Amino acid sequence: MTEFEIKYRDCMGRICNFRTRHGIVETPNLLPVINPNKILITSKELKEKFRAQMIITNSYIIYKNKDLREKALEVGLHNLLEFDGPIMTDSGTFQSYVYGKVDVDSIEIVKFQRDIGSDIGTILDVFTLPNEDYETAKKNVEETVRRAEESVKFKDKMLLACTIQGSVYPKLRERCAREISKLDSDFYPIGGVVPLMENQQYDKLAEVIISSKMGLDPSKPVHLFGAGHPIIFPLAVALGCDFFDSSAYAKYADDDRLIMPWGTLKLDELDELPCTCPICSEYTAKELRSMDKKVRFRLLAEHNLYVSFNEIKKIKHAIKDGNLWELVERKAVSNPYLMDALRVLERKKYKKWFELFESVSKKRALFYTGRHTIHRPIIYRYHNRLFNRYRVEYSKAVILPESKKPFSRYYKHILQKLPSEVGLIVNSKLGPVPIELDEMYPIAQSIMPDKVDRETTLICRKVLKKFLDRLEVVSIEDGFESIGSLNKKSGNNFDLRRIRATVCMQFGKNADKALLKGKIDIIKSKSTGKIRNIYSNNKHILSMRASDGLFTLKIAGARRLHSFFKFPSLRVVVRNECRDFILDGKNVFSKFVIDCDPQLRPLDECLIVDEDDNLLAVGRCLLNRIEMLSFNYGIAVKTRESLS
Amino acid sequence: MTEFEIKYRDCMGRICNFRTRHGIVETPNLLPVINPNKILITSKELKEKFRAQMIITNSYIIYKNKDLREKALEVGLHNLLEFDGPIMTDSGTFQSYVYGKVDVDSIEIVKFQRDIGSDIGTILDVFTLPNEDYETAKKNVEETVRRAEESVKFKDKMLLACTIQGSVYPKLRERCAREISKLDSDFYPIGGVVPLMENQQYDKLAEVIISSKMGLDPSKPVHLFGAGHPIIFPLAVALGCDFFDSSAYAKYADDDRLIMPWGTLKLDELDELPCTCPICSEYTAKELRSMDKKVRFRLLAEHNLYVSFNEIKKIKHAIKDGNLWELVERKAVSNPYLMDALRVLERKKYKKWFELFESVSKKRALFYTGRHTIHRPIIYRYHNRLFNRYRVEYSKAVILPESKKPFSRYYKHILQKLPSEVGLIVNSKLGPVPIELDEMYPIAQSIMPDKVDRETTLICRKVLKKFLDRLEVVSIEDGFESIGSLNKKSGNNFDLRRIRATVCMQFGKNADKALLKGKIDIIKSKSTGKIRNIYSNNKHILSMRASDGLFTLKIAGARRLHSFFKFPSLRVVVRNECRDFILDGKNVFSKFVIDCDPQLRPLDECLIVDEDDNLLAVGRCLLNRIEMLSFNYGIAVKTRESLS
């Protein structure tokens, strides 16, 4: 069984630990391809110099060469390649694409991979071209699934990679993924994508990845087979790919080309080497050109590996900081075809899917990068919740232009005179913001330019219009006096309004009615003046985090939500057998989760209950429902406070 | 006199050779700051490891320290710092900003810099804050100019840097620049910008640079004083800055921060080092953190230098490839405040200024990066010339959607049936393209996404509307037949139409009437079918370049343009004394140019004439008029063919 565990996440991307018989690998990761026939950079160097954790080689090449085959069977793959970390093997599928066919049986090659001790073997799937007609692509999917079904029987202790095919047909990809997910497969390569990358059809590539992911069991690693150029790494990781392989480092080097984060450069056309890597820091372009081909080949391959591995590091850094979407958007600016891929992500059905996996809060502020920013799942969610969760408690609204943040401080003078039947709506660059929501992530935590692009403006205008639908807009120019003169002066406490609104956005419509009962005491930070703790009838029910303006739920608050909201709302259901563990304050492990509110998102506060819906504890989700029900490893919920 | 010579150019940026008494420096360049009191990285290392060509130190610090002062006066600055390349010195102005004042006389510090052998000394200008009121800023400009006037008298063989002040007032900056340009100054620092950078007021910074540049003599180097973070390098170079200095490399390192191309990272917050530099390739973040502060300080400083110098390399590479605007736009995506700076560049008066310096053709295709692309000077020019130079020879127009390129091949079937009174206009993502202009740079040479942003769409729509103003639009859906049925079938030769249109766009309205007389023979490439050479009445007048679809002018063509267009159109006027040189085929050096058509742009074809307007040769401009009349070094026009 695949041991695969999420440690950090952002977008559909994730940093996971993946256990193999030769050690744990951290994803996302890049597997350098080793050609056993001509080793350019030894596996030892790959490990020591580039910190490669896992490599990949082609079992078909070994199988076809009598000497290599016999040696591999005798001493094992790891001794053959002199690598003590995990080794993945490919099966010859790509050769079948390049040469038309391979002369090996699909079972035989799996057995061979197993027998030489591959950590992850790959089935002989049927490579299907992007321009293949639907019927052939469908037939190939069926054959691929059939081979996978047969192959899993022979894997023994080897992990088996079952490749997803389906050409560019989203339905076929998803169907193939679903069929493969039913099998005892351990690893999911997405195959048949090399031609899409070669032709820079990144929009199609994005669709292929998303539709494959939508059908796949999320608890197993996904490998974008044959994708070795870092230009697509951020997008692919953001869409849920965990592994890449690179033969590109050698192929491009052989062709005197340098892989760069934004594309590829020909050495012949360079005066400067616009790169800081040890190779480019030591040599000039001229020096490299004057070298012996063999020496240069090696040095360029090293450059290519430095750059490729560094892009993985950048991605990991972005996942931890919660700004992988920004990395994706920034990368898209280096290639117009990548921008076409962003357009694919903006389709509603995909946005809906991404939103499921989007954390409710992030470590860093949201940075605007251009027209795609407004399409990010976190904004999509904010707009949705504004209509589905936020309760409009006023009949009139004043629209204010975006100001310095926080809006409520900047517009304090207006706020103070505000009667309760008038709402203040800031027409922000991310959409309408009822002023009491101004400190909630990502409203306060966003860095925007003075002027945004027109698409963003139009989308925000549309959302604002819809929001104002049943409200009477009163003008502030027309006289703030006209508002002031509205007879019932605000006895309304703005802090309470903020708390009520945030509670609804965070826990669901009317959650304030469950939580805020009787006497409400608000404790504020002495230094910042921000809301810290909320007591209702002397019970500490909520704490507000200064960093993201969202609430941490206390057990007293959890009790109220539990009795107010019906099952399965806000719940994560654990097996009765772990009741005592949870009551003891232990975290909830995925494998013990038997159900979960489909509305819960990563980093949402949740109620931990047993099979009989007895409240056990309150915690913070690390996974969404789909993940909790799939993963067998790792923590699903961090328990914060238990009932005991 | 400053020896400063343009070798390559793009936007307002340029790669120049700058001669000092200690060797030639290539710009753009970065001067690491050396603090003579505490040397972190020796000048030798700076030179050998980072290929620093020039360094900068503070003469005021040396002056204030008795030991250093005496040593500097005794052995000279270069021995003091053990650096045999050029050294620039600052004067204490920045200290006056930090500490409120300095106790040295403005003449004395210039003399001191001269006496210790500084290659480039700096006047003691009056630092003026961005939030200074206009009157004070004006007074400070006057005092700065007065001090500069005085100081130049004492510079002797030292080059003297006279700093531009003027706070954030464009008029004051431009005025200060004009006044300083009148003096015998050799180098132009733009001062008082550090607070703008610290507060990320990049929009103001852009305005300060542009307005300073508009007043400055273009033939001398410009230094953005105190700008050490690479996030602003591409923008600053694109606007015409040649030098930067960095104390940031040490300052940030001391603070455990890593300079990155897109911003700054705190070592404490990093698990991964997302950088390929030798330091980040050798150590992990954890290893660096566990080191002794002193060792770490040095290593982080090295990282900061690797990254900073690499950004200069990237910029040079972009200038040579002709895609510096793209680099600027891409960089802007990493910081929303940089996007605000792009908005400044879009103001009409600035666009007009940039257009003067924009080459007519580039080595690489234009890449769309987002909403700013449509505002690039080359597009601005294309739209302008469409109205001012292109002649509409038809009364009806069919509008076609953007297709694959070249449009004329894709729409060949329509083109073939086209009557001469109907124009085919492609509604492209860069604006309307009469189909006969489809091979001209940057129309064919542009990479666009499938769908562009709305701002671009709206601008293009507006330009199209204006273009169609006096045309009757006929529909192709309505039946291409309706066009086919227009009685006069096209006897019109499309090649000729392309030649006429391109000639007008390139050389001016009605240039076709001058060039194309009598019998026209068109020689095409046998392999590509593209137009190569054009003969008119058996004279070879033009050749078309396959790379950019523009014409190379032959001497026979030049004669016709010369007699058709009145002086000074298309002319570069050289002193009579170099008549024989030019007739001999030698290039035109700037110092011999006495006038130039203000309509000529870099890489434009031009007529080289003597003071009496006798045609001497035909050539290709490397500079525009303003530059030709200012520069004393370098080639103004590459002579292609002379009359002799």
Side-chain angles (χ1 to χ4, degrees), chain A residues 269 275 310 320 340 364 450, chain B residues 271 275 310 340 364 450:
Chain A
E269 296 175 353
C275 170
N310 191 47
K320 288 183 183 174
D340 289 333
R364 305 273 177 209
D450 233 27
Chain B
D271 292 328
C275 169
N310 191 47
D340 288 334
R364 304 274 176 207
D450 233 28

Side-chain angles (χ1 to χ4, degrees), chain A residues 386-433:
Chain A
L386 210 50
F387 294 103
N388 301 328
R389 294 191 171 191
Y390 174 79
R391 191 175 52 238
V392 179
E393 297 189 327
Y394 34 84
S395 53
K396 296 183 170 69
V398 168
I399 315 301
L400 298 167
E402 173 139 5
S403 68
K404 283 194 182 158
K405 289 172 188 170
F407 303 142
S408 57
R409 193 181 306 160
Y410 188 86
Y411 286 125
K412 202 175 171 188
H413 58 294
I414 300 180
L415 206 49
Q416 279 166 341
K417 299 190 232 161
L418 201 72
S420 63
E421 62 271 49
V422 180
L424 277 190
I425 313 298
V426 180
N427 183 11
S428 94
K429 291 159 196 156
L430 292 174
V433 178

